[in-house]
């Protein structure tokens, strides 16, 4: 089972350029995770006291989150937020139940202390929350003076309790004391890395088997076909070890002259095993290659070997996709195979052509 790559979103606070996001970036990258540090510019304090300005930033976060999800659709992001960023992210989750994240890290939090985390976990909008709060964080302590719907969770922790919510007090921390590599490495990275399922589920988000895209599968199918079939054909032709199969006398032992290999590519996986493919093969003769006659091949009267790659048919087993949904994957197979054939380092000595099956059927029909 292949783990999904984690996606980490970070959101900074007001009166800040979010310098800590740049510190965090290399640590995220070292884990092999994808990092999206969101930046809304300098947000002045006088704007923070205006409810409509705060609401506008919540909508901004929702749009940014949706854009990230559209880019990486099968991965659920985690969030690291500071100060006003905690307010933005948590209010967005509360308002929009279609927003789902994995882990949440809050620091310098100004989220109200009675925030309904139980609702968030029941709606499967987060798997776990870590709240790092500093007992010398005075901006978090007095934030309700400026915003009635904010709170001192970054100074005293949350009043609500939940098994998936971890309040982590740091007695000497101020509003930005968390921002250093030692804190990230000791506390944040292990928390983000730990596999955890949504409430009521048993399979963690990071350990669900990642769906293989048809394009990736087509690429690997081309690589497999090239190394396991084309290279063997090339070696057999180079050694003059292609033999016409005589059904009456058993396997023939007289080699035949071969001009090269034609790779016949169907438009879809189903076409490669359908009636057109069967009709095309009936026009050809059977031959075997290698001294041990290990594999049967098809040969024309003009001396060309023909093969429809069976690896293309394996694409039809991907996530129950229909044949029509795999039309675009086959050109990817053709493209990747072409790159391998053009490479000089693989030592293919015979001539290899690629032809579309329907074009060959028309020309022979």
């Amino acid at each position: 089972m292949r783990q999904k790559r984690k996606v980490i979103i970070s959101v900074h606070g007001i009166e800040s350029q979010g310098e800590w996001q740049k510190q965090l970036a290399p640590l995220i990258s070292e884990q092999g995770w994808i990092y999206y540090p969101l930046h809304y510019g300098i947000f002045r304090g006088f704007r923070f006291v205006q409810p409509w300005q705060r609401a506008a930033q919540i909508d901004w976060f929702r749009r940014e989150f949706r854009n990230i999800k559209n880019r990486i659709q099968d991965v659920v992001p985690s969030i690291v937020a500071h100060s006003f960023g905690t307010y933005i992210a948590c209010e967005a989750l509360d308002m929009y139940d279609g927003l789902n994240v994995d882990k949440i890290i809050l620091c310098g939090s100004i989220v109200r202390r009675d925030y309904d985390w139980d609702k968030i976990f029941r709606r499967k909008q987060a798997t776990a929350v870590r709240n790092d709060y500093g007992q010398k964080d005075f901006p978090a302590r007095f934030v309700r003076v400026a915003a009635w719907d904010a709170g001192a969770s970054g100074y005293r922790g949350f009043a609500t309790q939940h098994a998936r919510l971890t309040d982590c007090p740091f007695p000497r921390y101020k509003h930005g004391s968390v921002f250093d590599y030692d804190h990230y490495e000791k506390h944040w990275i292990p928390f983000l890395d730990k596999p955890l399922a949504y409430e009521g589920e048993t399979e963690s988000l990071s350990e669900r088997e990642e769906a293989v895209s048809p394009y990736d599968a087509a690429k690997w199918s081309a690589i497999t076909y090239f190394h396991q079939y084309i290279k063997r054909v090339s070696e057999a032709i180079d050694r003059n070890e292609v033999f016409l199969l005589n059904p009456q006398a058993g396997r023939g032992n007289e080699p035949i002259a071969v001009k090269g290999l034609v790779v016949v590519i169907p438009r879809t996986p189903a076409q490669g095993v359908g009636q057109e493919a069967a009709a095309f093969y009936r026009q050809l003769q059977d031959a075997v290659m290698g001294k041990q006659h290990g594999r049967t091949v098809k040969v024309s009267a003009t001396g060309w070997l023909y093969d429809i790659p069976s690896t293309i048919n394996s694409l039809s087993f991907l996530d129950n996709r229909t044949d029509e949904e795999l039309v675009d994957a086959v050109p990817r197979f053709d493209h990747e195979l072409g790159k391998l054939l053009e490479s000089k380092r693989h030592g293919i000595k015979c001539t290899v052509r690629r032809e579309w099956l329907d074009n060959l059927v028309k020309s022979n029909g």
Side-chain angles (χ1 to χ4, degrees):
M1 183 173 290
R2 182 173 56 162
Q3 284 196 353
K4 293 176 180 292
R5 295 183 68 188
K6 292 182 183 293
V7 174
I8 312 298
I9 298 172
S10 64
V11 195
H12 65 89
I14 66 171
E15 304 283 358
S16 168
Q17 292 282 4
E19 291 82 2
W20 62 272
Q21 295 174 299
K22 298 176 184 178
Q23 286 183 332
L24 188 58
L27 292 181
I28 297 296
S29 299
E30 286 170 10
Q31 313 307 312
W33 303 339
I34 303 170
Y35 186 39
Y36 283 93
L38 299 186
H39 194 273
Y40 51 81
I42 298 293
F43 191 87
R44 299 299 183 189
F46 72 88
R47 295 178 61 193
F48 176 73
V49 301
Q50 302 172 12
W52 58 92
Q53 294 279 10
R54 299 197 299 274
Q57 292 306 113
I58 296 169
D59 289 338
W60 165 84
F61 176 82
R62 184 191 190 190
R63 291 192 301 271
E64 292 296 315
F65 187 89
R66 183 173 60 244
N67 290 338
I68 293 171
K69 284 291 294 178
N70 287 339
R71 288 180 61 86
I72 311 175
Q73 297 182 13
D74 61 340
V75 180
V76 182
S78 292
I79 295 175
V80 181
H82 175 245
S83 192
F84 186 41
T86 68
Y87 172 92
I88 293 171
C90 290
E91 287 297 301
L93 288 173
D94 187 53
M95 292 174 62
Y96 306 113
D97 61 4
L99 296 184
N100 303 90
V101 304
D102 186 356
K103 309 283 181 45
I104 302 174
I105 293 177
L106 306 176
C107 55
S109 174
I110 61 169
V111 178
R112 61 189 183 273
R113 297 190 66 229
D114 62 350
Y115 186 86
D116 192 353
W117 285 113
D118 181 66
K119 178 178 68 175
I120 298 300
F121 295 130
R122 280 189 287 104
R123 297 196 306 197
K124 304 184 190 304
Q125 290 184 270
T127 61
V129 176
R130 177 188 173 98
N131 177 41
D132 291 347
Y133 67 95
Q135 294 172 324
K136 292 187 177 182
D137 189 340
F138 296 112
R141 180 181 183 180
F142 297 110
V143 69
R144 290 202 66 176
V145 175
W148 63 269
D149 56 349
S153 56
Y155 173 71
R156 297 176 58 194
F158 286 98
T160 55
Q161 295 184 349
H162 195 284
R164 293 173 176 266
L165 168 65
T166 305
D167 268 324
C168 302
F170 293 87
R172 302 179 67 179
Y173 272 22
K174 299 178 182 178
H175 196 55
S177 298
V178 295
F179 298 140
D180 212 327
Y181 293 104
D182 62 332
H183 192 95
Y184 308 148
E185 291 180 315
K186 182 178 180 179
H187 300 292
W188 289 5
I189 298 299
F191 175 77
L192 293 169
D193 190 44
K194 184 178 180 180
L196 192 63
Y198 283 128
E199 186 175 283
E201 298 185 1
T202 57
E203 190 176 42
S204 71
L205 298 176
S206 61
E207 291 184 326
R208 288 177 180 171
E209 187 169 5
E210 184 173 353
V212 178
S213 75
Y215 306 103
D216 286 342
K219 176 180 178 179
W220 291 110
S221 294
I223 294 172
T224 300
Y225 179 73
F226 177 83
H227 287 283
Q228 294 188 359
Y229 184 76
I230 290 180
K231 292 187 75 171
R232 290 179 59 191
V233 170
S234 176
E235 292 168 0
I237 293 175
D238 187 52
R239 294 194 298 261
N240 200 29
E241 293 179 356
V242 180
F243 307 91
L244 191 64
L245 187 62
N246 187 337
Q248 297 178 346
R251 289 172 174 160
N253 54 15
E254 291 297 324
I256 58 175
V258 175
K259 294 180 179 178
L261 171 67
V262 180
V263 178
V264 183
I265 301 178
R267 295 292 177 179
T268 67
Q271 188 190 34
V273 294
Q275 294 182 355
E276 285 180 296
F280 177 74
Y281 270 156
R282 282 197 292 269
Q283 305 171 41
L284 306 173
Q285 292 179 283
D286 289 330
V288 291
M289 64 180 186
K291 285 186 177 181
Q292 302 300 320
H293 300 169
R295 182 159 181 172
T296 302
V297 293
K298 293 291 185 177
V299 63
S300 69
T302 58
W304 285 93
L305 300 179
Y306 286 83
D307 186 66
I308 300 175
S310 59
T311 55
I312 289 182
N313 190 44
S314 66
L315 300 179
S316 61
F317 299 104
L318 291 175
D319 301 331
N320 299 315
R321 288 183 172 90
T322 65
D323 200 54
E324 291 75 16
E325 292 174 319
L326 296 167
V327 169
D328 293 337
V330 177
R332 175 66 183 268
F333 175 95
D334 178 57
H335 174 73
E336 295 295 334
L337 185 60
K339 289 198 302 183
L340 290 167
L341 291 170
E342 292 167 7
S343 174
K344 303 298 183 183
R345 63 189 180 89
H346 295 300
I348 300 298
K349 298 180 180 179
C350 72
T351 301
V352 181
R353 298 181 359 228
R354 308 189 317 279
E355 302 283 354
W356 292 101
L357 173 60
D358 48 9
N359 291 341
L360 291 175
V361 170
K362 289 177 183 177
S363 63
N364 293 333

